[in-house]
Amino acid sequence: MALERTLSIIKPDATRRNVTGGINAVIEKSGLRIVAQKRIQLTENQAKAFYAVHAERPFYNDLVQFMVSGPVVVQVLEADNAVLKYRDVMGATNPANADAGTIRAEFAESIEANSVHGSDSLENAAIEIAFFFSGCEITG
Ligand code: IDP
Ligand code: MG
């Protein structure tokens, strides 16, 4: 297994409820290391660009408005097999379908306000990490 990095976002529903520490505890307990982290307010253009892959989906505009409705915490997570590992730790997109013990089962409010984002492939992880972080902002 290869050491990988993936991009995580703790979404505005979670920062609003002050549960970023609880989510980080689940992340760290799973063995993923938080090797970069910052709390930021996304602009509408940044949110649109980040989710451009979903531009044709019916929920796109609502998703963009949700993502700018409050601060987010963007993170780089590192572990063996980090991309798939974090998808497992996050749980299903719709929290109603998320396995017990996953972040979304424990913290998400709805299919939209589902507390966390995680990259869906190693290729997208590299693109998404570069969207938010420069090399010197990421440590081991
Ligand atoms: P993922 O976050 O599990 O990878 P995606 O299909 O990539 O799920 O969707 C991106 C984000 O768009 C989701 O995390 C969620 O916030 C939102 N979203 C996905 N499907 C729906 C929907 O059917 N209604 C409203 N929002 C949705
Ligand atoms: Mg996705």
Side-chain angles (χ1 to χ4, degrees):
M1 262 196 253
L3 192 64
E4 294 178 357
R5 286 175 173 172
T6 192
L7 189 279
S8 165
I9 306 176
I10 301 180
K11 295 183 179 182
D13 66 285
T15 60
R16 194 172 294 126
R17 283 174 290 136
N18 205 27
V19 294
T20 62
I23 290 172
N24 279 351
V26 177
I27 289 170
E28 290 186 334
K29 203 169 177 190
S30 79
L32 287 154
R33 300 182 73 85
I34 302 166
V35 297
Q37 174 169 257
K38 56 188 174 187
R39 184 174 173 110
I40 59 173
Q41 173 65 53
L42 289 176
T43 66
E44 196 166 312
N45 281 343
Q46 287 169 338
K48 281 181 177 166
F50 184 77
Y51 277 120
V53 62
H54 294 307
E56 303 308 320
R57 309 276 288 273
F59 56 80
Y60 177 67
N61 286 330
D62 284 347
L63 175 62
V64 168
Q65 290 312 312
F66 165 61
M67 290 301 289
V68 303
S69 68
V72 297
V73 178
V74 292
Q75 310 173 301
V76 180
L77 309 182
E78 185 177 84
D80 282 338
N81 210 21
V83 173
L84 284 178
K85 186 180 183 69
Y86 191 45
R87 295 295 305 191
D88 283 346
V89 170
M90 284 165 46
T93 306
N94 185 344
N97 302 328
D99 290 340
T102 62
I103 292 170
R104 284 166 166 171
E106 192 172 338
F107 294 100
E109 293 182 321
S110 67
I111 191 170
E112 177 183 76
N114 59 4
S115 300
V116 281
H117 165 86
S119 306
D120 61 7
S121 68
L122 196 53
E123 184 188 5
N124 283 338
I127 294 167
E128 292 178 359
I129 289 168
F131 187 90
F132 288 112
F133 294 95
S134 64
C136 66
E137 290 180 298
I138 306 171
T139 67

